[in-house]
Amino acid sequence: GDYALFSYDSFGILSYSVADLIEPLPEGIDPTKIWNHQGGVLLYDYRPEALAELRLRDIPEYADYGGGALYMSLVRETGKLVLYAAYGVAGVLQSDWSDPANPVVMFLHPTPGEATAVATHYGRMYVADGSAGLTAQSVNIGGIQVAHNPRAGVDLHFNTKALRVAEKADGGVVVAVFP
């Protein structure tokens, strides 16, 4: 695509133009030192400008939640580009990034633990949820239930672990953990 999304802890979720990210630096600028300040004065700054920033704490109804965006999952659902971002004790933030300069908050999904990573597959949201373990929820977009295939297996990647999750016909779930 033409843009990239990053989850960056307390900075929230940021979108950048790929063209801005790959723009060459001026001659003599070390790529590991793209900004510099001394004594509180900014001497130079060649960091790309974000198209948009979405921070949970900047949204009045969620301002009391601390922490930042952690691992995320981006999917195309019902014609929208939907991002699910783990947000610690706040749960999972669902937002529409179809327009990378104007993201729209859709819903904050509370979870019983502390969401550290999220993956989505066939209408289910799987959350690495701290002391609550692995939790799963159905998701919908604007009141439309996303299609769910109960027998489709899904590979989830959380930090350094990979999980294979499959639902059985009787509603049970089988989980295999891979290092």
Side-chain angles (χ1 to χ4, degrees):
D2 296 331
Y3 64 97
L5 297 173
F6 295 89
S7 60
Y8 192 46
D9 195 30
S10 63
F11 287 95
I13 304 160
L14 306 166
S15 68
Y16 290 95
S17 158
V18 171
D20 288 347
L21 291 174
I22 63 174
E23 184 176 322
L25 293 169
E27 186 73 29
I29 298 296
D30 180 340
T32 64
K33 297 177 182 170
I34 59 175
W35 63 279
N36 190 5
H37 65 86
Q38 290 179 347
V41 176
L42 184 63
L43 302 176
Y44 62 86
D45 188 350
Y46 295 106
R47 294 175 290 185
E49 182 100 15
L51 294 172
E53 300 174 12
L54 180 58
R55 288 185 289 254
L56 196 58
R57 68 172 185 245
D58 292 343
I59 303 166
E61 59 266 34
Y62 305 126
D64 292 339
Y65 290 109
L70 302 170
Y71 293 92
M72 59 188 184
S73 178
L74 184 66
V75 294
R76 186 161 298 282
E77 296 174 343
T78 64
K80 297 181 182 203
L81 194 57
V82 179
L83 180 85
Y84 295 86
Y87 248 100
V89 295
V92 175
L93 180 67
Q94 180 182 354
S95 53
D96 177 2
W97 286 82
S98 299
D99 177 355
N102 296 293
V104 176
V105 171
M106 300 171 77
F107 194 75
L108 181 63
H109 299 270
T111 63
E114 185 171 335
T116 58
V118 62
T120 57
H121 187 71
Y122 280 110
R124 290 267 199 245
M125 175 178 65
Y126 299 90
V127 182
D129 207 19
S131 61
L134 176 68
T135 62
Q137 295 182 29
S138 293
V139 295
N140 67 59
I141 308 295
I144 300 169
Q145 179 64 43
V146 178
H148 173 61
N149 181 348
R151 291 186 188 84
V154 58
D155 290 320
L156 309 173
H157 301 276
F158 298 120
N159 304 331
T160 60
K161 298 284 186 202
L163 304 175
R164 176 79 174 161
V165 177
E167 294 184 40
K168 300 187 309 184
D170 65 2
V173 176
V174 177
V175 178
V177 179
F178 303 95

